[in-house]
Amino acid sequence: MASILPNSSNIVITGGQIISNTTSIEGYRDGVDQLRQHTALGALLDSTERFDPPKCAPDTRVAIINEILEWMTDAGQDSSVMWLYGPAGAGKSALAQTLAELCQDEKRLIASFFFSRTAANRSDGRLLIATLSYQLMLSLPAARRSIKDAVEADPTIFDRSNETQMERLFIEPINKSALSWSYLFSEWSRQYFGCFATHHPRIIIIDGLDECQDPRIQSDLLRIIGESTEHLKLPIKFLISSRPESHIVRVFNHDSIFQRLNIPTVNLAMDNGAHQDIRTFLQNEFAEIKRTHPLRLYLHASWPAPDAIRQLVRKASGQFIYASTVIKYIQSNKHRPDDRLDVVLGLSPAPTHESPFSQLDALYTHIFSSVEHIGPVMQIFGVLIITRNKGDGLGNYTTPEMLEKLLFLRSGDVVLLLGDLLSLVTLGGRNSPIKIMHASLADYLLNSVRSGRFYIDLGLTHSFLARGYLYRISKITSMYNFNPLDLLASITPFVTHCSRASLTEDLLDGMLRFDLIVIFKTLLTRHKGWLVLNPFYLWFFVTSIVQILAGEAFRGVKSIRTRFTDQFDQLNKFLVLQLKSSVTENYLADVMSRVTIQDNTRRNFRTLIKSSKPTQYLTLLCQLFYWDYNSSFTSNVNLRYAFAVKQCLKFVGGDNSDLENSDLKRLYRQFPGSSPDQSYLEEAHLDCAIALLMHAGYDFGLVEYAASYGFSAYVLTCYHDKVEILRERIAEYFMSFQHAIDIKMFIMAKRRWPITAGADRYL
């Protein structure tokens, strides 16, 4: 006959009530089964779902691992929570895995949870506490009954708030176990016979909290974990790793519970040893490829080259995901490792069916997909990834304040827009440059195949930067007494961006509104004294505009060509009048008219626009502008011409010793990256010498210098035609003054210059 009370024993019947003094095995299983059904088993340390998880390679992250282990084992530490954070791909999960395994080996691990945005259960933050409770039941036997009782007493516990679950499934079971005889005996044994005692697990590791699908749940879980540490009666510590997302940073930095806890943090972005660790990882992995790959016998002994390792380390930017992705791609047994390394380094194109950086691309795509206002965000990243070189004149625009001005954003917008992207960039103050933490990010964003809808067109980026600087120029020049240096600081990047920009309607409209004449008249009327000391400012300003018009974006635009040709005609007349009113002698206009490049026609601004090579004319103009205001020169015009020719020859010959401490030398150094290009200046000085020699008077200094003067091989190669013209002019100069020149010096000059006619008396 079947029992009406199965699975029961020691039954007592009292007053019609049936009381069982033993546990129901079936009920126990029901409680465990319910808990298990709400557990993300794939998030456990050694789950099959996480087969071959990332972990720290041997001899890497040693200092950080030791630092965290020291915190874990120090019972005297006040805080029971540590935050391990860093940019995407920095190796947080590998560190968490390695630390969890070490703790498990030492039997100190209570529980772990490894979040993953791509796995359904592992991205659900509502399963975290149940999963921790399930592992707690296994690792701390004294807590099993309390957990089972809580689940069976309220089967709907898993639909309650995270705070309620934490209280009933985690805090209460742990605190009750702390009062159990087995635990008290264990603690007594540990205290008095520590060498024989078993160390109880004390560590809970939660990795990738930012990959939980709901930021609100992430913040809620953090607060609950923080509050739980104040109620737990056992020494349990939580290691939490995540990216520094804005809402997580806000909880850790400003929530009252963490203000009280004063938690320690580890920032992987500040790991000074990351680059060396990545180098070690790459070297070890390449050694393994050379040892085990099927084509190992065909790999050169020196492969890979040290420079290849350096490039990979630089590209990784301290982020292990880049190095790991590269190695996974290269070590394929079905391909040649050396060919695949060439693809990674950009030395060979990737086959159309291959994606060397698929894992990295998926990470970046996910991060940008979570951005709400993607348009302005991509504009900001377009600005940040523009290649920068010393002296390129692109301007300082990487601070939030400058970005907001150039992109027409409101104050504070940059911080708001980039708040969810702190795993990719670092944000300081309003005047601190924003830095991208991944060198590989630019490669992703500039490759339309890899980035898809997040592709950045640099031509458009330069376009709206040019528009932003154009607006700044208008604002600066609208002020009555603006500083010319402020204008220069905006003109330089404006020109550079225009030369690289794609023409947009906004940029075209801005250029058509740009009034060169008003700006130039303002400069020459309000700042004439300053321009006397800084003549290259005029040169740079005008040539900058001509450079823009000669650029690809504006070259074929008739409306732009018409407007600026007319403005240059007006400017030409205005400039000559200004110079004539400033310089009492009339030689300047004559010299200006004699400067030629290919013919003897007058070079005005209209022809300069057409030729797109105004440098010689304008540089000469500014040189003479400077000389005319230098009081040390003689009042004799012809002697001044002679002195100018000597200075030009010295400059072309690289002999600037006399000018080392002069005002002219100071001018050459005044605007780094903005002053005239050296090759342009050499050509300009050749033009100047050719033009002035026809009017130069006799000067012993010029005769002595020119008699033994010689052109360098570089100058002869680059400016052969002009050197030949100058040789003829120098010969004519010596023949014109042969009766005043010492015979020995003339013979020396005759050996160097093509002097023939009129020199019979010296033969």
Side-chain angles (χ1 to χ4, degrees):
M1 179 178 176
S3 172
I4 62 173
L5 298 173
N7 303 317
S8 298
S9 62
N10 298 326
I11 299 172
V12 178
I13 301 177
T14 304
Q17 292 183 339
I18 301 175
I19 301 173
S20 174
N21 293 330
T22 60
T23 302
S24 167
I25 298 175
E26 187 65 33
Y28 177 77
R29 286 178 180 171
D30 286 346
V32 173
D33 286 344
Q34 289 184 63
L35 180 61
R36 186 179 182 281
Q37 289 173 7
H38 293 83
T39 297
L41 296 177
L44 272 58
L45 171 66
D46 52 0
S47 69
T48 55
E49 182 179 315
R50 298 185 61 248
F51 174 73
D52 194 21
K55 62 182 70 176
C56 295
D59 302 320
T60 64
R61 299 293 202 193
V62 175
I64 289 180
I65 290 174
N66 289 337
E67 176 185 351
I68 297 175
L69 287 176
E70 183 179 353
W71 168 80
M72 288 178 171
T73 56
D74 186 359
Q77 282 278 355
D78 293 335
S79 178
S80 296
V81 179
M82 173 180 277
W83 183 30
L84 169 66
Y85 67 98
K92 300 180 294 295
S93 293
L95 265 169
Q97 178 74 24
T98 301
L99 289 163
E101 291 180 359
L102 290 172
C103 290
Q104 188 178 53
D105 292 343
E106 297 179 359
K107 302 188 183 304
R108 298 180 61 82
L109 185 69
I110 288 181
S112 62
F113 195 106
F114 290 81
F115 280 98
S116 173
R117 64 178 179 276
T118 59
N121 286 345
R122 292 170 59 196
S123 64
D124 190 349
R126 295 171 299 178
L127 300 179
L128 172 65
I129 295 173
T131 305
L132 296 181
S133 179
Y134 180 80
Q135 296 174 83
L136 175 65
M137 185 180 64
L138 300 176
S139 59
L140 193 63
R144 292 176 185 175
R145 179 178 291 275
S146 296
I147 295 172
K148 174 193 74 71
D149 290 346
V151 173
E152 292 181 350
D154 183 6
T156 65
I157 184 67
F158 304 108
D159 296 322
R160 304 298 182 90
S161 68
N162 286 324
E163 188 174 10
T164 299
Q165 291 186 49
M166 191 67 165
E167 177 67 28
R168 296 185 185 177
L169 298 179
F170 195 82
I171 297 175
E172 288 182 0
I174 287 177
N175 289 345
K176 287 179 181 179
S177 70
L179 300 176
S180 68
W181 281 105
S182 62
Y183 180 79
L184 292 175
F185 178 77
S186 175
E187 284 298 292
W188 177 82
S189 300
R190 183 183 63 81
Q191 182 176 357
Y192 291 99
F193 307 101
C195 57
F196 304 104
T198 300
H199 289 283
H200 281 271
R202 301 176 56 208
I203 306 300
I204 295 175
I205 294 178
I206 300 171
D207 174 61
L209 180 63
D210 56 282
E211 298 203 27
C212 168
Q213 80 276 24
D214 191 335
R216 293 173 300 176
I217 294 179
Q218 297 173 26
S219 300
D220 184 47
L221 290 172
L222 274 180
R223 296 188 188 95
I224 291 170
I225 290 171
E227 290 171 356
S228 72
T229 61
E230 295 190 325
H231 300 289
L232 290 171
K233 295 181 179 179
L234 294 184
I236 294 175
K237 296 188 175 185
F238 291 83
L239 174 66
I240 301 172
S241 77
S242 74
R243 299 174 194 160
E245 304 293 1
S246 57
H247 55 282
I248 295 177
V249 173
R250 190 160 49 248
V251 173
F252 274 124
N253 289 344
H254 302 293
D255 195 273
S256 58
I257 180 63
F258 289 108
Q259 291 291 309
R260 295 196 301 272
L261 292 176
N262 189 27
I263 66 169
T265 62
V266 176
N267 182 2
L268 293 186
M270 303 300 292
D271 180 14
N272 296 327
H275 293 280
Q276 182 56 45
D277 285 346
I278 290 175
R279 185 185 303 277
T280 300
F281 168 77
L282 289 171
Q283 289 172 339
N284 291 342
E285 291 298 320
F286 278 121
E288 183 67 12
I289 291 173
K290 294 172 71 174
R291 189 180 68 85
T292 62
H293 197 277
L295 297 178
R296 59 187 178 277
L297 298 179
Y298 301 94
L299 295 174
H300 195 276
S302 62
W303 182 88
D307 186 60
I309 299 289
R310 281 194 293 271
Q311 289 186 56
L312 294 177
V313 172
R314 179 184 61 80
K315 213 64 164 174
S317 304
Q319 317 309 322
F320 271 85
I321 190 172
Y322 177 87
S324 175
T325 301
V326 165
I327 290 299
K328 287 179 181 178
Y329 177 72
I330 294 174
Q331 68 185 6
S332 169
N333 287 337
K334 298 181 180 180
H335 301 85
R336 298 186 66 95
D338 45 356
D339 286 350
R340 286 204 150 191
L341 177 57
D342 287 345
V343 170
V344 170
L345 296 175
L347 303 177
S348 302
T352 54
H353 63 283
E354 290 185 5
S355 180
F357 304 102
S358 56
Q359 183 182 1
L360 198 61
D361 295 348
L363 173 65
Y364 290 149
T365 299
H366 168 75
I367 292 173
F368 283 112
S369 296
S370 64
V371 174
E372 184 177 357
H373 304 288
I374 194 62
V377 165
M378 299 318 292
Q379 283 189 340
I380 292 173
F381 272 90
V383 173
L384 295 177
I385 66 174
I386 289 176
T387 303
R388 306 297 304 276
N389 296 301
K390 184 178 180 181
D392 58 10
L394 286 174
N396 178 24
Y397 46 67
T398 58
T399 65
E401 182 177 20
M402 194 63 177
L403 281 168
E404 287 160 357
K405 291 178 180 179
L406 293 176
L407 302 180
F408 306 101
L409 300 171
R410 291 187 300 172
S411 180
D413 278 357
V414 168
V415 174
L416 288 175
L417 290 168
L418 298 182
D420 293 329
L421 295 166
L422 298 182
S423 59
L424 298 179
V425 300
T426 58
L427 281 174
R430 282 190 53 74
N431 296 308
S432 298
I434 300 171
K435 297 180 181 179
I436 293 179
M437 292 183 283
H438 297 247
S440 60
L441 181 61
D443 296 334
Y444 165 81
L445 293 174
L446 296 177
N447 187 317
S448 59
V449 176
R450 292 177 59 187
S451 54
R453 64 191 178 99
F454 302 117
Y455 168 68
I456 290 177
D457 184 338
L458 283 186
L460 293 178
T461 300
H462 284 293
S463 178
F464 58 71
L465 278 173
R467 182 167 58 95
Y469 277 108
L470 185 59
Y471 175 76
R472 282 179 58 81
I473 291 170
S474 300
K475 290 281 289 183
I476 291 171
T477 54
S478 66
M479 297 182 290
Y480 177 79
N481 195 27
F482 66 87
N483 186 340
L485 288 177
D486 291 340
L487 179 59
L488 179 69
S490 290
I491 283 286
T492 305
F494 171 57
V495 173
T496 307
H497 290 302
C498 275
S499 65
R500 305 178 186 182
S502 299
L503 186 60
T504 62
E505 291 186 8
D506 288 338
L507 182 57
L508 177 60
D509 180 67
M511 287 295 292
L512 290 174
R513 295 172 183 270
F514 185 65
D515 196 330
L516 176 64
I517 303 302
V518 171
I519 295 176
F520 218 85
K521 285 184 177 180
T522 303
L523 282 170
L524 286 172
T525 54
R526 300 181 193 170
H527 301 284
K528 187 176 233 180
W530 186 87
L531 289 175
V532 167
L533 299 177
N534 301 274
F536 278 116
Y537 190 97
L538 294 177
W539 173 89
F540 180 75
F541 190 92
V542 179
T543 51
S544 296
I545 303 302
V546 177
Q547 182 181 340
I548 291 173
L549 301 180
E552 185 176 345
F554 299 99
R555 192 175 299 160
V557 183
K558 186 175 180 181
S559 57
I560 290 286
R561 180 71 58 181
T562 301
R563 174 170 176 77
F564 279 89
T565 298
D566 178 64
Q567 288 205 10
F568 274 119
D569 279 341
Q570 297 180 47
L571 181 59
N572 188 48
K573 297 174 185 177
F574 177 78
L575 184 59
V576 171
L577 287 174
Q578 284 292 312
L579 291 173
K580 283 185 175 179
S581 66
S582 302
V583 182
T584 55
E585 301 154 355
N586 60 10
Y587 78 89
L588 183 59
D590 294 335
V591 173
M592 287 166 56
S593 67
R594 292 178 182 276
V595 177
T596 61
I597 297 177
Q598 296 175 341
D599 52 43
N600 293 321
T601 60
R602 178 169 178 166
R603 309 294 296 179
N604 58 34
F605 282 100
R606 183 187 295 273
T607 55
L608 289 177
I609 294 175
K610 292 179 181 178
S611 68
S612 301
K613 195 176 183 182
T615 322
Q616 293 82 6
Y617 178 91
L618 290 167
T619 305
L620 173 61
L621 182 152
C622 294
Q623 284 286 99
L624 295 176
F625 195 24
Y626 166 77
W627 286 331
D628 280 314
Y629 277 89
N630 193 317
S631 58
S632 65
F633 290 124
T634 176
S635 59
N636 184 304
V637 175
N638 299 110
L639 288 181
R640 292 168 68 178
Y641 287 162
F643 181 85
V645 170
K646 180 181 176 183
Q647 294 295 87
C648 287
L649 291 176
K650 281 191 170 187
F651 186 91
V652 173
D655 179 10
N656 296 319
S657 55
D658 292 347
L659 302 175
E660 189 60 39
N661 298 311
S662 69
D663 290 335
L664 185 58
K665 191 67 175 179
R666 176 182 58 82
L667 291 174
Y668 289 141
R669 297 192 301 258
Q670 189 164 0
F671 304 127
S674 303
S675 58
D677 183 86
Q678 180 71 15
S679 61
Y680 283 154
L681 283 174
E682 288 170 348
E683 191 171 3
H685 283 73
L686 286 172
D687 287 330
C688 188
I690 291 170
L692 297 181
L693 266 171
M694 298 176 63
H695 307 278
Y698 173 75
D699 177 67
F700 177 78
L702 173 59
V703 169
E704 182 182 36
Y705 187 77
S708 58
Y709 185 82
F711 296 103
S712 67
Y714 170 79
V715 172
L716 288 172
T717 302
C718 295
Y719 313 109
H720 178 268
D721 293 342
K722 291 193 176 183
V723 167
E724 289 303 311
I725 296 174
L726 183 56
R727 284 167 56 84
E728 294 292 337
R729 297 285 170 86
I730 292 177
E732 293 173 4
Y733 179 81
F734 273 94
M735 288 187 288
S736 298
F737 297 104
Q738 58 180 309
H739 297 287
I741 299 174
D742 178 78
I743 185 171
K744 293 183 179 179
M745 193 170 294
F746 192 88
I747 292 174
M748 184 187 304
K750 184 175 173 59
R751 292 171 182 167
R752 186 168 295 277
W753 308 108
I755 302 172
T756 53
D760 294 340
R761 74 183 187 92
Y762 296 104
L763 300 178

Tab-separated table of all heavy atoms in Angstrom, residues 521-544:
chain	number	residue	atom	x	y	z
A	521	LYS	N	42.111	96.004	-45.586
A	521	LYS	CA	42.132	97.436	-45.312
A	521	LYS	C	42.222	97.704	-43.812
A	521	LYS	O	42.918	98.624	-43.371
A	521	LYS	CB	40.878	98.095	-45.887
A	521	LYS	CG	40.907	98.259	-47.397
A	521	LYS	CD	39.670	99.000	-47.896
A	521	LYS	CE	39.745	99.230	-49.403
A	521	LYS	NZ	38.555	99.949	-49.920
A	522	THR	N	41.514	96.872	-43.054
A	522	THR	CA	41.574	97.012	-41.599
A	522	THR	C	42.994	96.774	-41.096
A	522	THR	O	43.493	97.503	-40.230
A	522	THR	CB	40.607	96.020	-40.930
A	522	THR	OG1	39.291	96.232	-41.419
A	522	THR	CG2	40.615	96.184	-39.413
A	523	LEU	N	43.644	95.769	-41.634
A	523	LEU	CA	45.015	95.474	-41.230
A	523	LEU	C	45.951	96.633	-41.545
A	523	LEU	O	46.789	97.025	-40.721
A	523	LEU	CB	45.509	94.209	-41.940
A	523	LEU	CG	45.037	92.866	-41.389
A	523	LEU	CD1	45.423	91.751	-42.338
A	523	LEU	CD2	45.629	92.613	-40.012
A	524	LEU	N	45.834	97.181	-42.751
A	524	LEU	CA	46.791	98.195	-43.199
A	524	LEU	C	46.489	99.589	-42.666
A	524	LEU	O	47.323	100.487	-42.789
A	524	LEU	CB	46.830	98.230	-44.727
A	524	LEU	CG	47.570	97.044	-45.367
A	524	LEU	CD1	47.395	97.051	-46.867
A	524	LEU	CD2	49.037	97.082	-45.009
A	525	THR	N	45.322	99.777	-42.100
A	525	THR	CA	45.003	101.087	-41.537
A	525	THR	C	45.109	101.100	-40.016
A	525	THR	O	45.657	102.026	-39.431
A	525	THR	CB	43.589	101.528	-41.966
A	525	THR	OG1	42.651	100.488	-41.622
A	525	THR	CG2	43.533	101.785	-43.454
A	526	ARG	N	44.641	100.035	-39.365
A	526	ARG	CA	44.647	100.010	-37.903
A	526	ARG	C	45.917	99.398	-37.326
A	526	ARG	O	46.244	99.616	-36.161
A	526	ARG	CB	43.439	99.233	-37.370
A	526	ARG	CG	42.112	99.817	-37.786
A	526	ARG	CD	40.981	98.993	-37.189
A	526	ARG	NE	39.708	99.324	-37.808
A	526	ARG	CZ	38.583	98.630	-37.611
A	526	ARG	NH1	38.609	97.584	-36.823
A	526	ARG	NH2	37.464	98.978	-38.211
A	527	HIS	N	46.617	98.599	-38.113
A	527	HIS	CA	47.758	97.860	-37.577
A	527	HIS	C	49.009	98.047	-38.426
A	527	HIS	O	49.842	97.163	-38.520
A	527	HIS	CB	47.418	96.370	-37.493
A	527	HIS	CG	46.235	96.071	-36.631
A	527	HIS	ND1	46.287	96.095	-35.264
A	527	HIS	CD2	44.950	95.760	-36.959
A	527	HIS	CE1	45.087	95.785	-34.774
A	527	HIS	NE2	44.265	95.581	-35.785
A	528	LYS	N	49.155	99.228	-39.009
A	528	LYS	CA	50.288	99.434	-39.907
A	528	LYS	C	51.617	99.360	-39.176
A	528	LYS	O	52.575	98.747	-39.664
A	528	LYS	CB	50.150	100.795	-40.595
A	528	LYS	CG	51.183	101.029	-41.674
A	528	LYS	CD	50.919	102.337	-42.377
A	528	LYS	CE	50.852	102.111	-43.851
A	528	LYS	NZ	50.588	103.360	-44.589
A	529	GLY	N	51.695	99.950	-38.008
A	529	GLY	CA	52.942	99.893	-37.253
A	529	GLY	C	53.338	98.461	-36.919
A	529	GLY	O	54.513	98.090	-36.969
A	530	TRP	N	52.361	97.639	-36.580
A	530	TRP	CA	52.646	96.238	-36.262
A	530	TRP	C	53.096	95.489	-37.507
A	530	TRP	O	54.003	94.663	-37.448
A	530	TRP	CB	51.392	95.603	-35.670
A	530	TRP	CG	51.598	94.202	-35.160
A	530	TRP	CD1	52.024	93.843	-33.919
A	530	TRP	CD2	51.392	92.995	-35.888
A	530	TRP	NE1	52.093	92.479	-33.821
A	530	TRP	CE2	51.708	91.921	-35.013
A	530	TRP	CE3	50.966	92.696	-37.179
A	530	TRP	CZ2	51.611	90.597	-35.396
A	530	TRP	CZ3	50.867	91.370	-37.558
A	530	TRP	CH2	51.190	90.339	-36.680
A	531	LEU	N	52.482	95.812	-38.659
A	531	LEU	CA	52.835	95.138	-39.901
A	531	LEU	C	54.243	95.496	-40.360
A	531	LEU	O	54.900	94.698	-41.034
A	531	LEU	CB	51.834	95.495	-41.003
A	531	LEU	CG	50.435	94.898	-40.839
A	531	LEU	CD1	49.509	95.428	-41.919
A	531	LEU	CD2	50.489	93.382	-40.899
A	532	VAL	N	54.714	96.691	-40.010
A	532	VAL	CA	56.079	97.066	-40.361
A	532	VAL	C	57.076	96.101	-39.732
A	532	VAL	O	58.069	95.710	-40.352
A	532	VAL	CB	56.368	98.509	-39.897
A	532	VAL	CG1	57.858	98.810	-39.958
A	532	VAL	CG2	55.605	99.497	-40.766
A	533	LEU	N	56.781	95.679	-38.515
A	533	LEU	CA	57.664	94.744	-37.814
A	533	LEU	C	57.364	93.290	-38.158
A	533	LEU	O	58.153	92.398	-37.839
A	533	LEU	CB	57.537	94.945	-36.299
A	533	LEU	CG	57.915	96.334	-35.777
A	533	LEU	CD1	57.665	96.421	-34.290
A	533	LEU	CD2	59.374	96.635	-36.095
A	534	ASN	N	56.246	93.048	-38.791
A	534	ASN	CA	55.842	91.674	-39.122
A	534	ASN	C	55.372	91.587	-40.574
A	534	ASN	O	54.215	91.257	-40.850
A	534	ASN	CB	54.718	91.217	-38.182
A	534	ASN	CG	55.125	91.252	-36.731
A	534	ASN	OD1	55.705	90.308	-36.211
A	534	ASN	ND2	54.827	92.378	-36.080
A	535	PRO	N	56.246	91.891	-41.519
A	535	PRO	CA	55.803	91.960	-42.917
A	535	PRO	C	55.353	90.630	-43.492
A	535	PRO	O	54.554	90.599	-44.413
A	535	PRO	CB	57.055	92.479	-43.644
A	535	PRO	CG	58.203	92.073	-42.762
A	535	PRO	CD	57.683	92.179	-41.378
A	536	PHE	N	55.852	89.538	-42.975
A	536	PHE	CA	55.434	88.248	-43.526
A	536	PHE	C	53.965	87.959	-43.240
A	536	PHE	O	53.380	87.060	-43.828
A	536	PHE	CB	56.305	87.120	-42.966
A	536	PHE	CG	57.604	86.993	-43.679
A	536	PHE	CD1	58.794	87.231	-43.013
A	536	PHE	CD2	57.643	86.658	-45.022
A	536	PHE	CE1	59.995	87.127	-43.680
A	536	PHE	CE2	58.851	86.546	-45.693
A	536	PHE	CZ	60.030	86.786	-45.019
A	537	TYR	N	53.399	88.707	-42.321
A	537	TYR	CA	51.973	88.542	-42.042
A	537	TYR	C	51.163	88.817	-43.302
A	537	TYR	O	50.241	88.078	-43.638
A	537	TYR	CB	51.564	89.505	-40.928
A	537	TYR	CG	50.188	89.271	-40.375
A	537	TYR	CD1	50.012	88.530	-39.217
A	537	TYR	CD2	49.063	89.779	-40.998
A	537	TYR	CE1	48.757	88.317	-38.690
A	537	TYR	CE2	47.798	89.566	-40.486
A	537	TYR	CZ	47.654	88.838	-39.330
A	537	TYR	OH	46.406	88.623	-38.822
A	538	LEU	N	51.510	89.894	-44.017
A	538	LEU	CA	50.811	90.222	-45.269
A	538	LEU	C	51.019	89.119	-46.300
A	538	LEU	O	50.079	88.695	-46.985
A	538	LEU	CB	51.343	91.546	-45.837
A	538	LEU	CG	51.057	92.800	-45.019
A	538	LEU	CD1	51.710	93.990	-45.685
A	538	LEU	CD2	49.564	93.025	-44.899
A	539	TRP	N	52.259	88.682	-46.396
A	539	TRP	CA	52.561	87.602	-47.343
A	539	TRP	C	51.693	86.388	-47.057
A	539	TRP	O	51.065	85.824	-47.941
A	539	TRP	CB	54.037	87.212	-47.219
A	539	TRP	CG	54.390	86.001	-48.024
A	539	TRP	CD1	54.805	85.964	-49.309
A	539	TRP	CD2	54.336	84.646	-47.584
A	539	TRP	NE1	55.015	84.674	-49.712
A	539	TRP	CE2	54.724	83.835	-48.680
A	539	TRP	CE3	53.990	84.023	-46.392
A	539	TRP	CZ2	54.779	82.457	-48.596
A	539	TRP	CZ3	54.046	82.652	-46.317
A	539	TRP	CH2	54.444	81.879	-47.415
A	540	PHE	N	51.669	86.009	-45.810
A	540	PHE	CA	50.942	84.802	-45.473
A	540	PHE	C	49.447	84.961	-45.696
A	540	PHE	O	48.783	84.047	-46.202
A	540	PHE	CB	51.214	84.418	-44.014
A	540	PHE	CG	50.493	83.170	-43.603
A	540	PHE	CD1	50.938	81.935	-44.035
A	540	PHE	CD2	49.358	83.234	-42.816
A	540	PHE	CE1	50.271	80.779	-43.684
A	540	PHE	CE2	48.688	82.083	-42.465
A	540	PHE	CZ	49.146	80.851	-42.892
A	541	PHE	N	48.917	86.091	-45.340
A	541	PHE	CA	47.473	86.301	-45.467
A	541	PHE	C	47.022	86.182	-46.924
A	541	PHE	O	46.074	85.464	-47.246
A	541	PHE	CB	47.099	87.680	-44.915
A	541	PHE	CG	45.629	87.891	-44.773
A	541	PHE	CD1	44.992	87.603	-43.583
A	541	PHE	CD2	44.873	88.370	-45.831
A	541	PHE	CE1	43.628	87.785	-43.447
A	541	PHE	CE2	43.512	88.548	-45.701
A	541	PHE	CZ	42.893	88.262	-44.508
A	542	VAL	N	47.715	86.860	-47.807
A	542	VAL	CA	47.290	86.862	-49.210
A	542	VAL	C	47.549	85.517	-49.877
A	542	VAL	O	46.698	84.982	-50.585
A	542	VAL	CB	48.001	87.997	-49.978
A	542	VAL	CG1	47.588	87.985	-51.438
A	542	VAL	CG2	47.654	89.342	-49.350
A	543	THR	N	48.731	84.961	-49.648
A	543	THR	CA	49.015	83.668	-50.276
A	543	THR	C	48.100	82.580	-49.757
A	543	THR	O	47.811	81.609	-50.462
A	543	THR	CB	50.475	83.240	-50.037
A	543	THR	OG1	50.769	83.338	-48.648
A	543	THR	CG2	51.422	84.106	-50.820
A	544	SER	N	47.637	82.740	-48.533
A	544	SER	CA	46.706	81.759	-47.984
A	544	SER	C	45.414	81.731	-48.790
A	544	SER	O	44.878	80.669	-49.120
A	544	SER	CB	46.394	82.083	-46.517
A	544	SER	OG	47.546	81.982	-45.722
